[in-house]
Amino acid sequence: MREHGGNLDVAQQRFGGAAEDWIDLSTGINRVPYADVDVELRHWNALPSRSEIESLHHAARQAYRTDAPIVAMGGAQAAIQLLPHLAPRGRARILAPTYNEYAGMLSVAGWDVTEVSDLAALAGADLAVVVNPNNPDGTCHDRRELLALLPRVGRLVIDESFADAVPDLSLAAEAGQPGLLILRSFGKFYGLAGLRLGFAVGSEPDIAALAAMVGPWPVSGAAIAIGRRALLDRGWAAATIARLADDCARLDTAARSQGWTLLGGTPLFRLYETGDALAAQEKLARALIWSRAFQQKPGWLRLGLPGSEAEWSRLAAALSV
């Protein structure tokens, strides 16, 4: 398995504690999740109907401010798994460093994969991938620059898994045009990653091809019911965006007290230069707080945002040691 956050079992093996004892800040998942998650029994014991799936698609179009074709699937990761099969194998270029599943999945599928360091170097690719905002450094790319790249590549995939908190960054409204495919994650912003829900937004041919690959029941009835309700709750989204902005400033202040330097991030996670990320990670882990270190960047530490005041207090106590 490729290196990821969320590997709480590794933390438990090294430092003990049950899963419920830990504050897992190793991912970018909102720790104040959407709370209205009760569903009727029929959503568990019956197959989802086509009209129910379409109602989820409608809600997603409203939330993502688009009229483009859309298909629900089991998280953005499910779309990444299918991406190599949308077109014949060719040259893939990925703006890096970024989420490592793209290079891994495309390489396994026989694509010629190159990681590049600037947008201009993506030109000429049969498949170009940009994560916007980027994971793990939060780099954001101007919509106009991305659209200008579109005619210079065969297909442009924009992963907007962390865009919910910065909605003006999204290109979902442009996704109906040929060659542009937008991937969205539901679970991160709404704090319900276990629901396994995400979307692909794109042209009719691409969405039809993906829909054929995921089959007639791509997500569960519970995911449809909860996802639709959450996506239509724009008041919750607006309040969450405001809270996350305040919490980012709060976490950055705590990090500065340790002498850490902010390298970047999104409203759902922050990336710091610590000088020795493994030492910083261990310091927090002894208080049963898990963070994300990177093998290739020994000073980098990524932290999600604590949720409750009790979690913030535990983090402050751990940092004060």
Side-chain angles (χ1 to χ4, degrees), residues 278-295:
L278 291 180
Q281 184 184 55
E282 181 170 341
K283 177 179 180 177
L284 293 173
R286 295 196 181 282
L288 302 187
I289 299 172
W290 195 227
S291 55
R292 171 83 187 274
F294 298 83
Q295 291 182 358

Side-chain angles (χ1 to χ4, degrees), residues 141-232:
H141 301 281
D142 184 82
R143 299 169 75 256
R144 292 167 297 182
E145 292 182 4
L146 292 172
L147 287 173
L149 183 64
L150 186 56
R152 304 170 66 195
V153 300
R155 179 178 282 103
L156 177 61
V157 176
I158 310 293
D159 184 331
E160 295 183 350
S161 290
F162 289 98
D164 292 76
V166 281
D168 291 341
L169 197 68
S170 177
L171 277 175
E174 310 290 339
Q177 56 187 297
L180 180 61
L181 184 66
I182 307 296
L183 307 186
R184 298 292 297 234
S185 167
F186 172 85
K188 295 177 177 64
F189 179 71
Y190 290 92
L192 298 172
L195 206 61
R196 304 313 305 138
L197 178 61
F199 301 89
V201 192
S203 65
E204 284 282 2
D206 280 355
I207 297 306
L210 288 169
M213 285 190 271
V214 298
W217 304 290
V219 294
S220 70
I224 293 169
I226 296 168
R228 181 180 182 277
R229 186 184 306 152
L231 288 164
L232 292 175

